[in-house]
Amino acid sequence: MTIEGFIFDYAKCVGCHACIVACYVESKVEPPIAWRQVNTFNSKRIPLAGFLNLSLACNHCIEAPCLKACPAKAYIKEEHTGAIIHQPEKCIGCRYCTWACPFDAPKYNKSIGIVEKCNLCNHLITNNLKPACAKQCPTGALSFSLLDQIQHSDTIGIPTTTHQPRIKTLRVNVIEAIPQLDISIAGFERIEYENLMITPITKIHAKHEWPLVFFTLIFAFLSGWIYAFESATSIMLKSLFVATSILAILLSTFHLGKPFRASHSIANLKTSWLSREILFCVLFFSSTVLYLFIFHNIYILIITAVISLSLLISIEMVYSIPKKNYKTPLHSSNTVLTALMFGFLYSGLLKLLVAVITIKALLYIVRKGNSQPYLEPLTMVFIFIRVLFGLIFPIGVISFASDNGSLFLLFPLLIGEIIDRYEFYNDIYIDSPSKNFEQLFKNTIMK
Amino acid sequence: MERYVTACPRNCYSTCSFYVYTENGKVINVEPNPNFKATPEGICLKGLSYVERANSPDRIIYPHKKNSDGTFSRITWDEALNTIADKLQYFKKEFGQQSVLFYAASGMSGLLNDLSIKFWREIYGGATTVYGNLCWPAGLEATRLTLGENKHNVPWDLENAKLIVLWGKNSAESNIQEMIPLGKSLDNGGKLIVIDPRRTESTQRAELLVQPLPATDGALALSIANLLIANDWIDHDFISKHVYGFEDFKNSIQHCTTEWASAITGVPKDFIDKMAWMIGNIKPMTLIPGYGMQRYTNSGQTIRCLLTLSILTGNIGKPGACWHYANLQSYVFDDLLEPLCYYPPQKPDGIIRRSISTAKLGEDMLSQSNPPLKMIWVERGNPISQNPDTNKVLKAFKALDFRVVVEQFFTDTALEADIVLPAKNMFEQTDIIGSYWNPYVQLRQKVVEPAGEVKPETEIYYLLALKLGFTREQIDNILLPLGDEAINKFLSKKMESFPALSIEKLKTEPILAPNLQDIAFSDYNFRTPSGKIEIKSIEAQDRWGVNPLPTFEKAREADINFNKKYPFYLMSPNTKNRIHSQFNNLKIIKMISGEPVIQINFKDAKGRGILDGDLVKVFNERGELVIKAELTFQVRIGCVVIPNGWWRSQGGAVNILSKGRETDMGFGSAFHDNKVQIEKFKL
């Protein structure tokens, strides 16, 4: 192996933070943003368990996930250093790279609306010098040199990936070096372990992702709603359809740090599902306008159907990066399912509609059961409303009501879907060192 | 871009050598000096933060005066010096020179610091100043009484130890580079015992963690000594050749059983047994006592007790075998070494009145009479947050008529000044520094011109002397002429008697101290009255009124009456993020160390309904602090922790709670002997 990378020795790191200051001095990045961070496992020092520190910045993966995921091609791989470089002028602040990276390397800088990241001190290593963090580590725990192997196997704080991070860790077994100490002096009793866990950084949280909740949901809805339109449908309703798509697109730009650079987001169709999603989104908009106002024929409708399926698949693929708290391959707020549901509703295929809403409701219950070992009261309420409005009520209406007016079903279904989609964002997470620590904590200490 | 070798002048074990880069008269980067054997891999986060510190917009680079509304305004040097000179002349005339208190602390080390007192003595004609020290005199004196002098093996010898005992020292934070040889020792099969109420970062690879109550270490050591003797795990040959007072000591500790020690320290008996076995059977052993332990009322005797473990097992004067307390071998220029230089003169000279105890600064300032104090001049120190009993120190400051503080930043003490003069930083004047851990003589080079209107203290005193009516010729003879050349001459003259040392050589590399003993006491020459290691010390009894033998004495606040009202020992250790009260005003350090917290054990917090993140009132009869709680198992039950060095203005000046008391020997400050009560804070 002739590639250089970081070598980190867990047994030498004392968590002194010099690497962070070294990075600050060299990169001049302003606090509170820091490109490097020191993670501590068992910082509360629970007796009968070891502790360790892990200093991480970007590992400049050979198969860099940030670079593949970025829709704006803001990342490049520098030829001679292999450094993965983030170009601030191209970044649109979508934060998708922060989802793609399991090492928590790209840092979103709210004050300037874009991401920042370690550049491997490429100006230094070009001149055969070491990155500042490695050069300045006062105990020699962090160094930079030729790697004889790349970290493949799981080690504490570094999730197993296929990205080939340029880091090798040494002596992770220091975690087993637990000093003999008296646990009663240490104040240890069987207490609630959950309180002792350091909550991992949660990069996806429903309450921060509401633009995405509505963006994805609206396009699933529109993909079904389009079947309700006939050439004679009122211009008002047609305009409402178009206005809704525009609203959804605007909503998605809300979530960008640099909304005015939104057009850059289709720069990476080759590898980024996010780019593809945006492209199909624009195509969907165009073909629906065409269908509604100009050529109201079956051919355009078929083209629209194909585009909408591509769009929804792209949306689903965007969410293939986060890890899931549930185990089913399909989840209840899958946008294709949602689109089918509204499609059947507007096409009057009520038996199929009953089938889809039943499947969705069941998938939802399974997902909630999977993702939470015990259900909190608020979740119970959500489940109740979701099932009532998204399953029982619609089926009741379909079975007993003579008039199957679509509007009568639409609102309960929408309420169920909003809850479901919103909750979905709490059932997915991004792998990170702190998440890895949490899992280790659950697997070792809590047992 | 230019590169210089320099050395960090902070009051810190490591005293790193490092390279500093400058460009256009500014410090732009720092880098490790790989040739420096003590810190070859690099310097700590504070050293790295010098790049920010040297260029910080918050730095004071002009003289300032305090306005009536409490704010500060920039003034000219002329105005500042005229004001000060007028005040000095007035106080001299009305009350005498000794109404002026000159206070300097450990903010920046260097030989030029000695010139300050020369100004007060020979130009102003007198002043009042302090004796004693905040830090480590108890252990220094205990070691001096026992071994004759304070020195230890070179730091890199630690890797030869097979047993390392970190007794109250958290090297991972206070002496990071010590973890390198420590790690090498463990890599080679060495064992580590840590004795500390906290499970610190340094315990990561320890075999045994013993967590006694603070200030009970002497009892722990004596019971181990007793076990060593009872089990015949002692070095008879070493004792008969080199030790004075063994039999008396042996007889005096027969009551020091494990049961006895266990009851005092709270350490289970089997831990004491295991510790004794390891100390008695694993050789060579290096015992490293920390400095936090020096700040209790019983510290001198405690350290004498600890010393017996190294002595009984013959772990002195050999590779890997060492009493690793303080290494003063690089202080080759000092006529009088610590701790003796801390002591007040036996006969006052009538010029410099050394009548104020550093430990009791506030109380003693207030009680001075004939003349009472009217003015204070502070340099290199921040006594308001750092000396015991902050409220009393503050009261004493406010009682004065006039206060001058020479500072780089607006610290708690600077904020109390009438005139603030801008202080040089380490890059703006050349000086020579030693270290109390590594054995190098180092040059702290001038690498940039002083920022703004900053003047080094040597120049400030020079200009002030002019204002006091002295001629340049007169001043040149007492102080130094202005300019860098005079500084170099002064330092060169200091080095005259050491052929190995010169400014030119030191500019390229730090130099090992002349006559350095790599393995301290390898000649078995002990400069004590008996010429032997003195477990029994008559001088200890004569000078300090303590038992001539090492004994366990209860610390003042371990008393039962304190326990009821104030059940928690408040520990105030140093952190890696600061040197005392320096650094935490910098942006990058603030990011890492955001706000003061008090660490409380989960079990102690539970009984008081305190949750993680709650505001907690910490109080005793000296004062109170309201501070955020961090629940943890890092600290044992019965102790709480607030690291020292937070400013009052940052909300965590821990000395608001401490008491000004002296240690049993050495004129140290027993401000860690500090008990508090905690309760959930309610508005």
Side-chain angles (χ1 to χ4, degrees):
Chain A
M1 181 134 290
T2 56
I3 195 155
E4 285 187 307
F6 290 110
I7 297 176
F8 179 79
D9 188 339
Y10 289 98
K12 285 185 180 171
C13 180
V14 297
C16 78
H17 291 91
C19 48
I20 293 179
V21 183
C23 178
Y24 162 75
V25 170
E26 191 65 45
S27 68
K28 300 179 178 64
V29 51
E30 280 287 303
I33 300 289
W35 289 351
R36 180 164 280 278
Q37 69 191 46
V38 177
N39 307 276
T40 303
F41 176 74
N42 191 12
S43 60
K44 296 286 185 193
R45 303 281 198 277
I46 294 162
L48 311 177
F51 62 89
L52 52 69
N53 303 297
L54 171 62
S55 166
L56 274 186
C58 175
N59 295 315
H60 299 272
C61 303
I62 294 169
E63 299 292 333
C66 51
L67 186 144
K68 286 182 193 158
C70 176
K73 280 199 171 167
Y75 288 93
I76 52 159
K77 184 174 199 157
E78 199 177 54
E79 191 110 346
H80 59 293
T81 59
I84 307 297
I85 304 294
H86 177 265
Q87 307 166 99
E89 69 282 3
K90 290 195 178 166
C91 180
I92 60 173
C94 73
R95 284 169 284 168
Y96 194 46
C97 54
T98 69
W99 289 19
C101 175
F103 310 115
D104 213 6
K107 308 281 183 193
Y108 183 64
N109 187 340
K110 217 174 169 177
S111 65
I112 51 175
I114 57 170
V115 157
E116 297 184 18
K117 188 186 74 70
C118 156
N119 57 16
L120 200 61
C121 287
N122 58 339
H123 59 294
L124 296 178
I125 65 169
T126 301
N127 296 316
N128 279 326
L129 299 167
K130 310 274 182 199
C133 53
K135 179 176 66 183
Q136 307 273 18
C137 174
T139 63
L142 184 68
S143 55
F144 187 81
S145 59
L146 281 180
L147 298 174
D148 51 11
Q149 64 172 77
I150 292 218
Q151 194 77 45
H152 290 295
S153 58
D154 206 5
T155 177
I156 298 175
I158 301 185
T160 309
T161 67
T162 55
H163 310 317
Q164 301 191 52
R166 287 163 66 184
I167 185 169
K168 182 187 165 185
T169 61
L170 304 173
R171 299 202 280 180
V172 68
N173 60 355
V174 74
I175 193 70
E176 290 152 21
I178 304 165
Q180 184 184 344
L181 57 80
D182 184 70
I183 59 168
S184 62
I185 291 179
F188 190 65
E189 35 190 65
R190 287 244 158 254
I191 52 175
E192 295 138 7
Y193 284 114
E194 283 76 13
N195 297 341
L196 303 177
M197 256 188 292
I198 301 299
T199 317
I201 303 156
T202 313
K203 286 195 206 150
I204 304 181
H205 202 291
K207 64 184 173 202
H208 302 135
E209 305 294 353
W210 61 267
L212 296 180
V213 173
F214 284 100
F215 170 80
T216 52
L217 201 54
I218 288 173
F219 276 105
F221 170 70
L222 294 177
S223 298
W225 194 19
I226 192 73
Y227 301 102
F229 289 86
E230 301 179 1
S231 59
T233 309
S234 76
I235 197 87
M236 281 286 288
L237 211 55
K238 285 177 177 175
S239 305
L240 184 64
F241 186 101
V242 175
T244 312
S245 358
I246 292 172
L247 175 74
I249 291 170
L250 283 179
L251 270 180
S252 73
T253 59
F254 261 131
H255 137 109
L256 298 182
K258 293 278 182 202
F260 295 108
R261 293 185 190 169
S263 61
H264 296 205
S265 62
I266 50 167
N268 191 11
L269 293 171
K270 198 172 158 197
T271 62
S272 173
W273 280 105
L274 190 55
S275 270
R276 295 166 191 165
E277 178 198 85
I278 305 297
L279 176 72
F280 287 122
C281 191
V282 174
L283 290 178
F284 178 81
F285 177 76
S286 316
S287 77
T288 51
V289 169
L290 211 61
Y291 177 69
L292 292 175
F293 295 103
I294 305 167
F295 302 115
H296 194 88
N297 62 44
I298 187 74
Y299 303 109
I300 301 293
L301 187 61
I302 289 171
I303 290 172
T304 305
V306 170
I307 290 173
S308 68
L309 185 64
S310 307
L311 167 60
L312 300 177
I313 288 173
S314 302
I315 289 178
E316 290 308 312
M317 290 310 290
V318 164
Y319 292 91
S320 65
I321 280 182
K323 298 264 189 236
K324 278 82 184 173
N325 281 331
Y326 52 86
K327 298 184 185 91
T328 51
L330 198 63
H331 68 94
S332 55
S333 64
N334 180 296
T335 50
V336 179
L337 273 185
T338 309
L340 280 177
M341 186 182 81
F342 289 115
F344 293 144
L345 172 70
Y346 285 112
S347 315
L349 301 168
L350 296 186
K351 284 182 183 154
L352 287 173
L353 175 64
V354 169
V356 175
I357 57 181
T358 310
I359 290 170
K360 276 172 84 70
L362 288 177
L363 282 172
Y364 175 75
I365 293 168
V366 172
R367 193 178 90 205
K368 294 320 290 181
N370 264 329
S371 62
Q372 294 186 318
Y374 63 95
L375 297 169
E376 286 169 18
L378 190 64
T379 313
M380 300 285 272
V381 172
F382 272 142
I383 292 176
F384 177 73
I385 299 175
R386 165 74 181 87
V387 174
L388 180 70
F389 283 84
L391 179 73
I392 299 170
F393 186 72
I395 291 179
V397 170
I398 292 165
S399 312
F400 299 106
S402 52
D403 175 18
N404 43 37
S406 57
L407 268 185
F408 205 57
L409 282 176
L410 179 61
F411 287 108
L413 283 177
L414 270 179
I415 288 171
E417 285 310 314
I418 290 170
I419 290 177
D420 197 334
R421 188 73 198 175
Y422 178 87
E423 286 256 281
F424 166 70
Y425 286 86
N426 284 339
D427 291 336
I428 58 177
Y429 66 91
I430 302 301
D431 233 348
S432 69
S434 55
K435 193 75 196 174
N436 191 281
F437 281 174
E438 186 197 38
Q439 280 158 355
L440 177 74
F441 192 97
K442 284 180 178 161
N443 295 339
T444 58
I445 297 176
M446 282 178 71
K447 279 184 182 164
Chain B
M1 192 163 68
E2 274 140 295
R3 190 181 87 166
Y4 303 87
V5 178
T6 192
C8 180
R10 302 280 86 86
N11 181 356
C12 168
Y13 286 101
S14 300
T15 317
C16 302
S17 168
F18 63 93
Y19 296 130
V20 54
Y21 291 86
T22 63
E23 198 168 68
N24 303 325
K26 283 202 179 299
V27 170
I28 57 159
N29 213 336
V30 294
E31 206 174 72
N33 177 355
N35 305 318
F36 188 68
K37 277 177 87 175
T39 68
E41 299 282 354
I43 59 180
C44 74
L45 77 164
K46 302 174 287 292
L48 291 160
S49 76
Y50 280 133
V51 180
E52 178 187 335
R53 182 167 161 174
N55 301 300
S56 171
D58 297 337
R59 198 175 154 200
I60 302 169
I61 53 172
Y62 304 104
H64 282 73
K65 72 169 178 196
K66 190 183 243 169
N67 304 316
S68 52
D69 63 354
T71 58
F72 286 88
S73 306
R74 178 180 165 181
I75 53 173
T76 63
W77 270 106
D78 225 36
E79 182 183 347
L81 293 171
N82 281 335
T83 310
I84 297 168
D86 286 352
K87 290 280 184 187
L88 283 174
Q89 262 150 353
Y90 169 75
F91 293 133
K92 187 179 195 169
K93 197 172 119 221
E94 292 294 317
F95 308 99
Q97 294 93 319
Q98 291 179 352
S99 64
V100 177
L101 173 62
F102 165 65
Y103 184 88
S106 68
M108 166 114 70
S109 54
L111 301 180
L112 293 170
N113 291 339
D114 293 348
L115 292 167
S116 300
I117 194 72
K118 262 190 125 175
F119 168 88
W120 294 104
R121 178 182 289 279
E122 295 175 43
I123 305 263
Y124 188 54
T128 297
T129 188
V130 293
Y131 64 87
N133 179 276
L134 286 176
C135 181
W136 56 338
L140 286 176
E141 179 64 358
T143 304
R144 188 188 71 83
L145 291 168
T146 310
L147 300 177
E149 60 192 307
N150 280 281
K151 57 185 179 184
H152 64 57
N153 298 3
V154 289
W156 46 92
D157 170 65
L158 187 59
E159 70 176 89
N160 298 319
K162 286 288 172 220
L163 178 65
I164 297 173
V165 182
L166 279 182
W167 200 316
K169 180 171 175 182
N170 177 15
S171 311
E173 292 208 53
S174 63
N175 190 184
I176 294 171
Q177 295 86 353
E178 182 161 73
M179 296 306 276
I180 298 173
L182 188 148
K184 283 184 188 163
S185 160
L186 300 186
D187 293 347
N188 295 328
K191 301 281 184 200
L192 172 65
I193 304 177
V194 178
I195 299 99
D196 199 317
R198 301 188 296 152
R199 188 176 169 195
T200 63
E201 199 67 55
S202 308
T203 64
Q204 190 189 37
R205 299 176 72 189
E207 166 135 351
L208 185 65
L209 170 61
V210 180
Q211 300 184 280
L213 278 169
T216 64
D217 306 79
L220 182 61
L222 289 183
S223 70
I224 291 170
N226 201 6
L227 285 172
L228 294 176
I229 296 168
N231 290 296
D232 200 24
W233 292 330
I234 56 175
D235 188 335
H236 291 283
D237 186 48
F238 182 88
I239 293 169
S240 64
K241 275 189 193 147
H242 306 301
V243 178
Y244 169 75
F246 171 69
E247 286 301 323
D248 287 349
F249 174 64
K250 180 180 164 184
N251 295 331
S252 76
I253 60 166
Q254 275 169 6
H255 69 286
C256 301
T257 60
T258 41
E259 289 78 14
W260 170 80
S262 180
I264 293 169
T265 59
V267 175
K269 284 190 286 185
D270 53 327
F271 278 71
I272 300 177
D273 287 335
K274 180 167 182 183
M275 202 175 146
W277 184 89
M278 288 175 80
I279 290 176
N281 292 282
I282 307 176
K283 283 176 201 295
M285 170 185 78
T286 294
L287 201 169
I288 313 182
Y291 295 159
M293 214 173 15
Q294 313 306 320
R295 300 160 197 167
Y296 294 87
T297 49
N298 62 358
S299 291
Q301 284 297 78
T302 297
I303 296 305
R304 291 182 69 211
C305 294
L306 265 59
L307 259 159
T308 64
L309 305 183
S310 294
I311 297 164
L312 294 176
T313 53
N315 276 306
I316 283 173
K318 300 163 199 161
C322 173
W323 167 255
H324 202 99
Y325 182 69
N327 193 16
L328 307 184
Q329 296 190 78
S330 64
Y331 295 123
V332 291
F333 308 107
D334 296 9
D335 305 326
L336 195 59
L337 280 179
E338 289 105 337
L340 297 176
C341 60
Y342 300 141
Y343 302 167
Q346 306 241 301
K347 275 190 198 150
D349 58 16
I351 303 166
I352 298 292
R353 175 173 68 166
R354 220 171 160 190
S355 55
I356 290 178
S357 169
T358 304
K360 298 185 284 180
L361 181 67
E363 188 184 331
D364 284 2
M365 275 172 74
L366 288 165
S367 68
Q368 294 300 301
S369 59
N370 193 24
L373 295 181
K374 293 291 166 192
M375 170 181 161
I376 189 168
W377 173 291
V378 182
E379 59 187 50
R380 291 172 267 131
N382 184 11
I384 288 183
S385 76
Q386 294 313 105
N387 286 51
D389 207 341
T390 290
N391 288 329
K392 209 164 259 175
V393 178
L394 201 56
K395 190 176 165 197
F397 259 68
K398 290 191 189 295
L400 298 169
D401 289 350
F402 190 58
R403 294 142 285 241
V404 177
V405 176
V406 189
E407 249 306 349
Q408 293 181 35
F409 294 97
F410 277 104
T411 62
D412 289 339
T413 305
L415 288 174
E416 291 303 317
D418 299 288
I419 300 272
V420 178
L421 301 176
K424 67 169 187 263
N425 70 22
M426 62 170 286
F427 303 112
E428 296 168 339
Q429 188 178 39
T430 299
D431 209 335
I432 286 179
I433 60 177
S435 158
Y436 47 82
W437 176 69
N438 77 56
Y440 286 95
V441 175
Q442 303 194 61
L443 194 68
R444 195 198 72 217
Q445 288 199 63
K446 175 174 178 177
V447 300
V448 291
E449 285 303 319
E453 292 181 4
V454 170
K455 293 183 192 301
E457 289 87 337
T458 48
E459 289 190 22
I460 297 176
Y461 283 123
Y462 193 101
L463 299 175
L464 194 54
L466 284 176
K467 296 280 183 197
L468 290 173
F470 284 72
T471 66
R472 284 182 182 269
E473 211 173 22
Q474 285 172 310
I475 306 169
D476 288 351
N477 285 331
I478 300 169
L479 303 173
L480 295 180
L482 294 175
D484 298 338
E485 201 188 321
I487 303 288
N488 286 344
K489 242 187 206 165
F490 170 82
L491 296 175
S492 296
K493 194 156 192 291
K494 287 263 180 193
M495 289 187 281
E496 259 174 0
S497 49
F498 303 101
L501 301 178
S502 75
I503 297 252
E504 286 319 306
K505 282 185 209 160
L506 286 171
K507 271 186 180 174
T508 59
E509 282 300 328
I511 295 174
L512 286 170
N515 307 319
L516 169 70
Q517 218 173 24
D518 277 28
I519 304 301
F521 303 108
S522 52
D523 55 358
Y524 296 102
N525 179 15
F526 301 100
R527 292 157 70 175
T528 55
S530 63
K532 288 187 166 189
I533 296 172
E534 297 201 342
I535 292 186
K536 181 178 180 179
S537 168
I538 304 300
E539 189 185 348
Q541 185 178 33
D542 292 348
R543 197 187 267 266
W544 305 107
V546 298
N547 194 307
L549 290 163
T551 53
F552 169 68
E553 307 291 338
K554 231 180 183 177
R556 182 72 186 87
E557 300 209 353
D559 190 271
I560 190 86
N561 293 324
F562 281 97
N563 285 343
K564 274 192 208 144
K565 270 167 88 177
Y566 307 115
F568 290 99
Y569 252 114
L570 171 61
M571 303 178 67
S572 46
N574 283 320
T575 96
K576 66 182 173 56
N577 303 315
R578 298 186 286 276
I579 286 291
H580 303 124
S581 67
Q582 300 190 58
F583 292 101
N584 220 134
N585 57 323
L586 303 178
K587 273 191 291 187
I588 185 65
I589 304 295
K590 271 193 268 189
M591 182 180 85
I592 292 164
S593 157
E595 60 176 340
V597 293
I598 181 168
Q599 288 188 319
I600 307 171
N601 188 289
F602 279 99
K603 196 174 181 182
D604 290 330
K606 202 176 171 186
R608 291 168 162 73
I610 297 167
L611 301 176
D612 201 50
D614 277 353
L615 281 181
V616 170
K617 185 170 114 175
V618 190
F619 63 98
N620 58 22
E621 59 211 18
R622 271 90 67 178
E624 71 169 65
L625 269 180
V626 175
I627 193 168
K628 206 185 223 183
E630 180 195 313
L631 308 193
T632 181
F633 293 112
Q634 277 187 35
V635 54
R636 61 157 289 163
I637 52 172
C639 297
V640 290
V641 178
I642 307 173
N644 93 79
W646 287 109
W647 297 353
R648 270 174 85 228
S649 57
Q650 293 162 341
V654 72
N655 285 311
I656 285 173
L657 297 156
S658 69
K659 166 92 176 157
R661 286 195 193 97
E662 286 183 4
T663 52
D664 54 352
M665 56 183 75
F667 301 112
S669 309
F671 55 154
H672 287 188
D673 209 336
N674 187 5
K675 297 199 89 174
V676 297
Q677 177 61 288
I678 55 172
E679 61 185 40
K680 196 166 167 166
F681 178 69
K682 295 185 194 85
L683 279 172

